[in-house]
Amino acid sequence: MKIQIINGPNLNLLGKREPDVYGNTSFDSYLLSLRKNYPNIAIEYFQSNIEGELIDKIHETGFTFDGIILNAGAYTHTSIALHDAIKAITTPVIEVHISNVHAREAFRHESKISAVCKGIIAGFGMDSYRLAVESFTPISPKRDFAIA
Ligand code: DQA
């Protein structure tokens, strides 16, 4: 199982940026624990502040990886080019946000990419990424329960 995490603009500042909204943890240290907790999943990571580089990474991984977890940052709300890139590939993409974008400014309520993503996870802090990884795992203790 191969999963690509892609973080967009300003997410390189996680841990320093608006800690009341995004927390105190850097993505590098969060990634270490994510990899430790999912030793059987190859979790690749890419961050860029440049829209075209995000698109290139989606193209590069979008036909071979099992899943892409994309936090497009503010490009979520503006980028038709990212929408088209996600539509062009075959790998399912999960849209992720650390904050609950719907509880924030109105301009964050619209996403240009939701409609072409498999699902959306927002508002769980850094745990949003783990929940997205979890969604790609077919069997896990948390989801292995019987429905009556
Ligand atoms: C974000 C929410 C976006 O509105 C914002 O521009 C970000 C981060 C989040 O993870 O909560 O950069 O995607």
Side-chain angles (χ1 to χ4, degrees), residues 9 11 17 22 71 73-74 76-77 96-99 101 104 108:
L11 293 167
R17 171 195 185 195
Y22 300 111
N71 186 344
T76 304
H77 317 297
V96 157
H97 300 286
I98 297 163
S99 64
V101 283
R104 300 180 64 193
R108 297 186 204 276

Side-chain angles (χ1 to χ4, degrees), residues 31-82:
L31 188 59
L32 280 178
S33 51
L34 206 53
R35 284 177 172 150
K36 221 178 251 175
N37 279 282
Y38 294 94
N40 299 324
I41 303 177
I43 302 175
E44 301 295 325
Y45 177 58
F46 178 76
Q47 189 278 331
S48 177
N49 295 320
I50 299 165
E51 190 177 13
E53 289 187 357
L54 301 173
I55 292 166
D56 285 345
K57 186 53 77 175
I58 289 169
H59 292 175
E60 186 190 312
T61 55
F63 295 92
T64 50
F65 277 60
D66 299 294
I68 294 175
I69 296 169
L70 173 63
N71 186 344
Y75 288 138
T76 304
H77 317 297
T78 61
S79 180
I80 294 166
L82 275 176

